[in-house]
Amino acid sequence: MIAVQAEKAPAAYLSWKTRRMVTDRVETAAEGLATQVGYELTQEILWDDLSDFILVSEEEMAHAILTYLELVRNLAEEAGAAPWRPP
């Protein structure tokens, strides 16, 4: 399993990577990924089951939104579009 997190709200990613609860900035437009602190229960699950954690830039999310709109004709918000990767 792989997770994504906004580069401008990296607390969950940093908590997973360092295996301790981290608090960090929240400067992202992706409200669904706007976490300021890693949460213990969530992190324990991620530490056990997650194989990788990817940080996604605001530009990558904007590109993914446009791609979804062009290809699927659906509008996604930043957090919903964040997992998209170009083929």
Side-chain angles (χ1 to χ4, degrees), residues 1-14 16 28 30-35 42-43 46 50-57 60-61 64 68 77-85:
M1 179 172 59
I2 298 173
V4 296
Q5 184 67 39
E7 278 181 343
K8 292 188 173 185
Y13 167 81
L14 294 172
W16 176 76
T28 183
E31 291 181 12
L33 301 177
T35 54
T42 305
Q43 287 298 320
L46 295 177
L50 198 62
S51 61
D52 199 7
F53 212 134
I54 299 169
L55 290 177
V56 180
S57 71
E60 289 172 310
M61 288 185 274
Y68 280 133
E77 56 91 31
E78 288 84 355
W84 181 82
R85 290 286 170 265

Side-chain angles (χ1 to χ4, degrees), residues 66-85:
L66 291 175
T67 301
Y68 280 133
L69 191 57
E70 291 172 351
L71 297 178
V72 186
R73 301 288 187 232
N74 283 318
L75 182 60
E77 56 91 31
E78 288 84 355
W84 181 82
R85 290 286 170 265

